[in-house]
Amino acid sequence: MNLDLQKINKVYLSGIGGIGLSALAYYFLQAKKKVIGSDIIKSEVTKRLEAKGVLISYKQKASNITKDIDLFLYTSALPVDHPEFVKARRLKIPVLSYFEFLGFLSKQHKTIAIAGTNGKTTTTAMLGLIMEKAGLDPTVIVGSIVPQWGSNFRFGKGEWLVVEACEWQAHMLEINPQIIVLTNIAEDHLDYFKDLADIKKYFQQFVNKLPESGVLFKNIDDQNSSKINFGGQTVNFGQAPSVQYCFSKQVIKKGEQTFTVKKKNKKWAEFNLVIPGLYNIYNALVAIAVADHIGINQHQIWNALHEFNSTWRRFERVGLWKNNIVISDYAHHPEAIQGLLQATKDFYPDKKIIAI
């Protein structure tokens, strides 16, 4: 579908409370468009949008869709017989899913897609903040609320788009990137994928979309990711000294972890994180590698990472209850839960841990 954003004045988002569509709501608000939408329940996300002046209906019905709407965007969870979807089609309003619009948007920018089973959100936020610190003014779409931006979206006027590329129902195939980051691959979304081999097949298809001049950054320590191949430039990261970017000397002390990054087996820099977890060192390492690749200096990278205090529901310290530290985390995949529990033990070795 050919879209002329200049001719779009009013946008309707069905499922606006979703973490993806809500990001697009912010995008159109920044573009000075009229934004309205619907969802079935109120949430933290919808409250933030309503505070920005977005009119949200909590009854999804055909009468919400009017002729003056120029673009109808919907969550992929919306059934094809949904009354709003059907009405939009009947009125011949341009209709796109969240991921289809991401595909359109990715063609308007130099796009970095962060893909993988775990770590996408944190890596996207880290890289976006590093690029912001470097003055590249990126547009960023991320699957959680980033405190520095107060939302899951950053509107930039620069040439770069950094986007979290979700593999659910293979939707990442809609995106057209110049750079792909592959954090890891594990069995997930088995309501759609047949098995692990099927998942790897789709990730390989996504990597195959890279142009000849593109770059793949992959986690060589992850057995499944290491088998994804690209005929063009591939940058490996991990712990092995033989890879282009490796880390060593992880030290955890007083609520921080430090690690040393080597580039082509030569010490490059030492970094600090105020968030725990070996998995977050991997997330930071590939953000560092991409940032270095596009010309950002060590000082700007270090500052952004040192200030990074995670995102909403990613090792989020929500407060105290009777002197007990309460942490909220989105981890739901078995490997992510294991990593989260180990990270908690690393930062709070003397505490009793209760996981719910």
Side-chain angles (χ1 to χ4, degrees):
M1 179 183 294
N2 292 321
L3 280 181
D4 185 349
L5 294 181
Q6 298 297 323
K7 295 181 179 179
I8 292 173
N9 297 307
K10 189 174 184 180
V11 183
Y12 190 95
L13 297 99
S14 187
I16 198 169
I19 204 68
L21 276 189
S22 60
L24 296 189
Y26 287 114
Y27 170 81
F28 284 107
L29 284 173
Q30 291 282 353
K32 308 299 181 186
K33 310 297 183 181
K34 175 70 175 177
V35 179
I36 59 175
S38 67
D39 215 301
I40 55 175
I41 56 169
K42 289 191 174 186
S43 65
E44 178 67 25
V45 174
T46 59
K47 289 176 186 175
R48 287 172 181 260
L49 287 169
E50 287 175 320
K52 294 285 186 181
V54 177
L55 182 64
I56 300 176
S57 171
Y58 293 98
K59 290 185 178 180
Q60 294 186 313
K61 51 189 179 180
S63 59
N64 291 341
I65 310 304
T66 53
K67 290 182 179 179
D68 61 337
I69 294 169
D70 301 305
L71 180 62
F72 179 90
L73 299 177
Y74 65 98
T75 170
S76 297
L78 208 71
V80 293
D81 60 350
H82 190 278
E84 292 182 342
F85 184 89
V86 172
K87 180 74 173 292
R89 288 282 196 188
R90 185 163 64 81
L91 293 178
K92 297 186 177 357
I93 298 169
V95 172
L96 289 175
S97 71
Y98 164 70
F99 291 100
E100 287 170 338
F101 186 80
L102 277 193
F104 165 80
L105 200 60
S106 67
K107 292 179 180 178
Q108 318 305 311
H109 295 80
K110 292 175 67 175
T111 298
I112 302 171
I114 313 297
T117 305
N118 301 312
K120 296 184 295 293
T121 295
T122 299
T123 305
T124 304
M126 283 177 169
L127 182 57
L129 287 164
I130 291 169
M131 293 171 72
E132 178 185 53
K133 183 74 72 175
L136 296 180
D137 199 14
T139 296
V140 186
I141 297 176
V142 59
S144 182
I145 296 168
V146 180
Q148 288 91 330
W149 304 329
S151 80
N152 51 329
F153 174 79
R154 183 190 188 278
F155 185 86
K157 296 181 180 178
E159 62 180 348
W160 288 102
L161 169 67
V162 184
V163 62
E164 182 172 331
C166 182
E167 72 277 11
W168 182 61
Q169 295 189 349
H171 285 308
M172 74 279 200
L173 295 178
E174 297 284 355
I175 301 171
N176 304 281
Q178 280 72 50
I179 294 174
I180 290 177
V181 168
L182 189 51
T183 59
N184 49 59
I185 298 174
E187 286 184 301
D188 201 4
H189 303 298
L190 295 176
D191 56 334
Y192 178 80
F193 299 111
K194 297 175 185 177
D195 50 26
L196 181 58
D198 195 39
I199 294 169
K200 288 191 287 187
K201 180 186 76 173
Y202 279 100
F203 273 107
Q204 183 64 65
Q205 287 180 21
F206 183 44
V207 168
N208 291 345
K209 291 193 70 176
L210 281 171
E212 289 184 7
S213 59
V215 187
L216 170 65
F217 290 78
K218 70 177 180 181
N219 180 359
I220 203 68
D221 293 343
D222 178 63
Q223 183 178 4
N224 296 318
S225 300
S226 67
K227 294 177 181 177
I228 303 298
N229 296 308
F230 173 53
Q233 184 179 359
T234 300
V235 178
N236 296 323
F237 65 95
Q239 293 194 62
S242 59
V243 301
Q244 287 96 320
Y245 293 88
C246 75
F247 71 91
S248 61
K249 299 182 179 178
Q250 178 194 19
V251 178
I252 301 168
K253 189 176 181 181
K254 294 182 179 179
E256 283 193 0
Q257 55 177 342
T258 64
F259 58 99
T260 299
V261 173
K262 291 183 178 180
K263 179 180 177 182
K264 296 180 180 178
N265 208 22
K266 292 183 179 180
K267 183 176 179 180
W268 193 65
E270 188 175 90
F271 294 91
N272 298 68
L273 292 176
V274 296
I275 52 173
L278 183 63
Y279 57 91
N280 274 323
I281 292 182
Y282 276 94
N283 295 336
L285 179 64
V286 70
I288 291 165
V290 176
D292 181 49
H293 174 78
I294 62 176
I296 300 175
N297 68 50
Q298 294 176 15
H299 182 71
Q300 292 164 327
I301 298 171
W302 190 95
N303 281 340
L305 289 179
H306 187 67
E307 293 171 7
F308 183 75
N309 197 26
S310 199
T311 63
W312 178 52
R313 296 188 66 201
R314 268 64 173 188
F315 210 85
E316 179 189 11
R317 298 171 179 89
V318 295
L320 294 174
W321 183 75
K322 295 184 179 181
N323 293 321
N324 297 294
I325 301 164
V326 180
I327 294 167
S328 173
D329 199 284
Y330 184 74
H332 53 282
H333 188 278
E335 291 179 11
I337 294 171
Q338 289 174 350
L340 169 66
L341 292 176
Q342 184 59 56
T344 309
K345 292 175 182 177
D346 289 344
F347 261 37
Y348 301 104
D350 301 324
K351 296 283 188 182
K352 179 179 180 180
I353 298 169
I354 299 173
I356 302 174

